[in-house]
Amino acid sequence: MSCCDLAAVGQLGKAGIMASDCEPALNQAEGRNPTLERYLGALREAKNDSEQFAALLLVTKAVKAGDIDAKTRRRIFDAVGFTFPNRLLTTKEAPDGCPDHVLRALGVALLACFCSDPELAAHPQVLNKIPILSTFLTARGDPDDAARRSMIDDTYQCLTAVAGTPRGPRHLIAGGTVSALCQAYLGHGYGFDQALALLVGLLAAAETQCWKEGEPDLLAVLRGLSEDFQKAEDASKFELCQLLPLFLPPTTVPSECLRDLQAGLARILGSKLSSWQRNPALKLAARLAHACGSDWIPAGNSGSKFLALLVNLACVEVRLALEETGTEVKEDVVTACYALMELGIQECTRCEQSLLKEPQKVQLVSVMKEAIGAVIHYLQQVGPEKQKEPFVFASVRILGAWLAEETSSLRKEVCQLLPFLVRYAKTLYEEAEEANDLSQQVATLAISPTTPGPTWPGDALRLLLPGWCHLTVEDGPREILIKEGAPSLLCEYFLQQWELTSPGHDTSALPDSAEVSLQTCCHIFLNLVVTAPGLIKRDACFTSLMNTLMASLPALVQQQGRLLLAANVATLGLLMARLLSTSPALQGTPASRGFFAAAILFLSQSHVARATPGSDQAVLALSPDYEGIWADLQELWFLGMQAFTGCVPLLPWLAPAALRSRWPQELLQLLGSVSPNSVKPEMVAAYQGVLVELARANRLCREAMRLQAGEETASHYHMAALEQCLAEP
């Protein structure tokens, strides 16, 4: 400030800065700073612009020279207000002999003083200065100019104070501060370290908004940090480990950043480290695994060794943390290790293009088994008071990921834990239902390994469904699940999820796995239909489930892209109908007729006659909609054909309904139009089963089949049972 010729400040009048911009409101009191009081008195008694400006310079210097209390700060604000700093910041004409940035520096210094008061930091007159303040961060000037440096420090003080207010981050982002901070950091000018610190705070407070407003600049910062991380040979690499997770974008991470990050992590984790050095590296690796899967790890020998190292380190950390009862668990570190273990599970079960070699898979499965044993041990100690804690949810998640792929090992321990898992899933489900918080039930499952989990963990059932699907095939685990009430819980869950995914509901907030979970529920119910038919007959929840299946299938089979779910619903409904055939709901009611019509549609549209070049006879081929997913669909289709066949003799109205749909006639027509050699034996058996039961059940069906050359077709395909049935009167 001293560089300004105070003799020339009288020319401030032509810059529009008048003495009337300051309204004195100062009173003397005991215990106040005498020097500051003298300057404030001079400000109060100023008779012209020159004297006023000189007094403001002295007040500003006094403020910057030492701490002032809140009352003094408020008195300065009452004396100066916002009008004078506003004009200082916006004036375009400085007094002769005074650099143009000196006035702005004075204005920023006053704002910095005011912003020390949280109430003033949130004042609209401060918030509307955010765009101007942001430009100061990247303004060109002499880097050694003390006044300019002071102004930059004051600017960061203002912006940091605003960021500390409840709605401050949103205002900063809207005011262009994110891009300004990025550019200030990348320029590595004075105060660039403050720019990085403020960026970290904004990303932690409002990550999504930051990336929406400043993605190109944030990616540039990420590139710079990643390159620094890859090159770092000193302790700064550990500090960067803590910063980098915050700068990973919600979308695709640039490939050059992934290369640098992986190389830096490989060098760190390949060294002997203390826990304070290793833990940030594990959390960064987990964050990359969460964002990119295994795409950030290079293929080849170096990549496979690195991945094996990651998973081994993670398993060791998990065992050290969880095997000893009563020890304090560093939950953020263990959660990060869970993410790395999950990556290991995925790679060990990948058949094609896996990063791991077979011996590595065998070794990793062994160490992961030991770590999962520690997770089970921990969960066995969890009491009701901890069931809402995110770390418990994360522990259930990794166990669910393991059980989805492996249920034969640790069978005894898993069976002992099943009652807890059912109660835990039921507790979370019921409390979310009571709170009517369906959005939490379908929240994204992944917990970021670098940040604390949400207050309400989320949908535990979805995590456990794949493992329970495997376990319901086995007698022991299935009996435990039934005893603990899992089937009833699953029925409630299925009905609720079905409602959320049905037309007319907003499905934008649903995770992609929501429909997969419905399919997995169907698989569990299919297992129960086959292995515990008595349960289906006696438990009322399955009657409700059957009613939902019947009501839903007609619309579902018409919806594009949901054929696999329709296949699950149709097949499950057909199998359950066979067991519940005496139910009033299945005695030719509109709902039951609609369901079976939709099931016939699903079964009948799977194959078509397709012409072949150079041949007069067509071949049997998959329909276009079925062709791409037949590998996942065919088992359900064959099971559905078998179940429909079993329903025909149990439901007298079904054969006439099938005849009205013209399915038996069209099926015989299809078989008559293609080469018998193109129809596989299992297809012939499935078709014959349906045709025979329909013919046996209804005389009109037999007559219609005869009119459609049924006997001749049966002879061509060696369908002896059908041929014999059609020969009867």
Side-chain angles (χ1 to χ4, degrees):
M1 298 292 184
S2 59
C3 66
C4 183
D5 183 4
L6 295 184
V9 296
Q11 300 182 32
L12 285 174
K14 66 180 182 180
I17 303 171
M18 307 302 295
S20 60
D21 291 333
C22 293
E23 294 295 334
L26 307 174
N27 295 307
Q28 299 294 330
E30 268 185 51
R32 293 175 180 169
N33 185 322
T35 302
L36 181 58
E37 291 300 323
R38 187 166 62 252
Y39 295 158
L40 290 174
L43 177 62
R44 183 182 64 236
E45 297 170 0
K47 297 177 181 178
N48 54 48
D49 297 327
S50 177
E51 292 179 2
Q52 185 185 74
F53 186 61
L56 282 170
L57 285 172
L58 295 172
V59 169
T60 303
K61 285 185 176 182
V63 168
K64 295 175 72 66
D67 295 333
I68 58 173
D69 58 30
K71 289 184 178 180
T72 304
R73 185 187 309 113
R74 178 59 71 164
R75 291 178 63 245
I76 295 172
F77 171 72
D78 291 340
V80 177
F82 281 117
T83 305
F84 194 76
N86 288 351
R87 295 195 177 185
L88 288 173
L89 290 172
T90 57
T91 183
K92 299 185 183 302
E93 298 183 28
D96 293 340
C98 183
D100 58 0
H101 67 269
V102 170
L103 299 182
R104 293 194 296 272
L106 177 58
V108 176
L110 289 171
L111 281 182
C113 171
F114 300 158
C115 285
S116 299
D117 183 334
E119 183 179 343
L120 293 179
H123 195 283
Q125 286 288 342
V126 172
L127 300 179
N128 65 22
K129 304 299 181 301
I130 289 173
I132 298 175
L133 294 172
S134 296
T135 63
F136 296 163
L137 301 180
T138 56
R140 296 181 179 179
D142 182 0
D144 297 323
D145 187 325
R148 184 174 295 280
R149 289 191 171 201
S150 178
M151 183 177 73
I152 291 175
D153 285 336
D154 289 337
T155 300
Y156 281 118
Q157 183 177 339
C158 291
L159 296 176
T160 302
V162 172
T165 63
R167 305 180 72 179
R170 189 185 69 175
H171 289 292
L172 291 174
I173 294 166
T177 304
V178 172
S179 293
L181 291 171
C182 291
Q183 293 167 27
Y185 173 75
L186 293 169
H188 274 65
Y190 179 77
F192 79 97
D193 53 336
Q194 297 180 72
L196 184 62
L198 187 49
L199 264 179
V200 167
L202 290 178
L203 284 167
E207 178 186 13
T208 301
Q209 293 87 340
C210 285
W211 281 101
K212 183 179 179 180
E213 295 295 329
E215 181 172 351
D217 296 299
L218 285 169
L219 287 176
V221 173
L222 174 61
R223 289 186 181 94
L225 292 173
S226 301
E227 186 175 351
D228 292 344
F229 179 62
Q230 193 272 334
K231 294 178 179 178
E233 297 291 345
D234 55 12
S236 66
K237 60 188 176 184
F238 303 113
E239 298 173 3
L240 287 169
C241 274
Q242 297 176 330
L243 288 178
L244 279 162
L246 290 168
F247 286 89
L248 294 177
T251 53
T252 305
V253 182
S255 57
E256 63 272 24
C257 296
L258 294 178
R259 285 195 299 269
D260 287 340
L261 294 173
Q262 189 276 329
L265 282 171
R267 193 161 57 250
I268 289 176
L269 294 173
S271 307
K272 188 175 182 180
L273 303 171
S274 60
S275 60
W276 74 267
Q277 295 170 320
R278 180 175 56 253
N279 291 346
L282 289 173
K283 289 196 281 186
L284 174 57
R287 182 68 178 79
L288 287 167
H290 176 70
C292 310
S294 61
D295 293 343
W296 61 288
I297 302 176
N301 190 52
S302 63
S304 65
K305 287 184 177 180
F306 175 70
L307 176 57
L309 174 65
L310 277 180
V311 179
N312 273 288
L313 288 173
C315 291
V316 170
E317 288 293 327
V318 169
R319 291 188 64 189
L320 288 174
L322 301 184
E323 283 184 343
E324 294 296 328
T325 304
T327 59
E328 183 179 356
V329 177
K330 294 181 178 179
E331 295 181 356
D332 58 338
V333 178
V334 178
T335 302
C337 292
Y338 286 166
L340 297 176
M341 286 175 59
E342 194 164 342
L343 179 62
I345 292 171
Q346 293 168 1
E347 286 300 315
C348 284
T349 54
R350 180 179 294 181
C351 298
E352 297 180 359
Q353 297 181 330
S354 174
L355 292 172
L356 298 169
K357 300 173 183 176
E358 200 58 37
Q360 290 173 317
K361 291 182 179 182
V362 173
Q363 189 270 331
L364 288 182
V365 168
S366 177
V367 297
M368 286 192 291
K369 174 183 173 182
E370 295 173 347
I372 291 297
V375 173
I376 293 174
H377 173 75
Y378 165 77
L379 290 174
Q380 287 171 336
Q381 320 303 317
V382 172
E385 72 282 357
K386 287 190 173 184
Q387 288 193 2
K388 287 187 181 181
E389 293 184 4
F391 182 66
V392 176
F393 182 79
S395 300
V396 171
R397 174 188 172 91
I398 188 60
L399 177 59
W402 172 265
L403 293 176
E405 305 296 342
E406 173 58 60
T407 57
S408 60
S409 60
L410 299 171
R411 182 174 301 181
K412 178 182 177 182
E413 293 83 353
V414 169
C415 287
Q416 290 174 344
L417 190 65
L418 277 179
F420 164 80
L421 294 176
V422 176
R423 290 195 300 271
Y424 176 75
K426 186 175 183 179
T427 297
L428 266 61
Y429 172 78
E430 289 181 345
E431 293 199 14
E433 280 283 87
E434 289 175 6
N436 197 27
D437 193 1
L438 301 183
S439 61
Q440 286 289 358
Q441 278 283 8
V442 296
T444 302
L445 296 179
I447 296 179
S448 171
T450 59
T451 57
T455 303
W456 185 249
D459 185 356
L461 262 174
R462 184 172 290 129
L463 307 177
L464 296 168
L465 289 178
W468 286 6
C469 187
H470 297 314
L471 291 171
T472 48
V473 177
E474 304 176 24
D475 293 340
R478 182 176 64 254
E479 290 175 4
I480 296 173
L481 288 170
I482 293 174
K483 180 181 178 182
E484 296 297 328
S488 178
L489 174 61
L490 289 171
C491 283
E492 290 182 39
Y493 177 76
F494 180 90
L495 297 177
Q496 180 235 47
Q497 294 290 293
W498 186 267
E499 180 183 351
L500 291 175
T501 57
S502 61
H505 286 76
D506 180 15
T507 59
S508 59
L510 293 173
D512 294 338
S513 58
E515 192 150 311
V516 175
S517 295
L518 287 172
Q519 295 174 24
T520 309
C521 280
C522 288
H523 295 168
I524 294 175
F525 296 140
L526 286 171
N527 290 341
L528 294 175
V529 166
V530 174
T531 60
L535 175 70
I536 308 299
K537 294 179 180 179
R538 68 174 180 267
D539 199 319
C541 70
F542 288 102
T543 301
S544 299
L545 177 62
M546 185 70 215
N547 291 336
T548 298
L549 299 180
M550 289 195 297
S552 305
L553 186 62
L556 184 61
V557 294
Q558 304 290 344
Q559 294 171 20
Q560 194 70 24
R562 305 189 80 186
L563 181 57
L564 192 55
L565 180 59
N568 278 276
V569 170
T571 304
L572 175 61
L574 290 170
L575 284 167
M576 288 180 63
R578 197 168 59 178
L579 295 175
L580 302 174
S581 60
T582 59
S583 168
L586 286 164
Q587 306 310 311
T589 61
S592 62
R593 289 180 181 276
F595 169 79
F596 276 94
I600 288 173
L601 194 64
F602 159 66
L603 296 171
S604 65
Q605 291 186 341
S606 61
H607 291 78
V608 295
R610 183 175 298 169
T612 55
S615 175
D616 295 335
Q617 201 166 18
V619 297
L620 189 70
L622 287 167
S623 301
D625 289 343
Y626 289 67
E627 193 169 13
I629 57 173
W630 186 245
D632 298 318
L633 201 64
Q634 61 176 336
E635 186 176 352
L636 290 168
W637 186 87
F638 280 108
L639 193 56
M641 290 287 285
Q642 181 183 349
F644 185 93
T645 301
C647 288
V648 172
L650 299 174
L651 302 172
W653 61 268
L654 184 53
L659 182 62
R660 286 193 296 272
S661 75
R662 294 193 55 79
W663 184 27
Q665 301 96 308
E666 291 174 358
L667 180 51
L668 287 169
Q669 183 180 2
L670 174 64
L671 291 174
S673 65
V674 301
S675 167
N677 293 331
S678 69
V679 186
K680 296 180 179 178
E682 59 268 25
M683 294 294 300
V684 173
Y687 286 146
Q688 178 176 225
V690 168
L691 292 170
V692 166
E693 287 302 330
L694 289 173
R696 287 174 178 170
N698 186 269
R699 177 182 58 81
L700 294 178
C701 280
R702 291 196 296 275
E703 292 177 359
M705 291 182 196
R706 293 191 192 103
L707 291 174
Q708 197 62 52
E711 292 174 290
E712 182 181 351
T713 301
S715 176
H716 287 163
Y717 284 89
H718 306 292
M719 297 179 175
L722 178 60
E723 197 171 1
Q724 180 181 352
C725 186
L726 293 180
E728 297 174 0

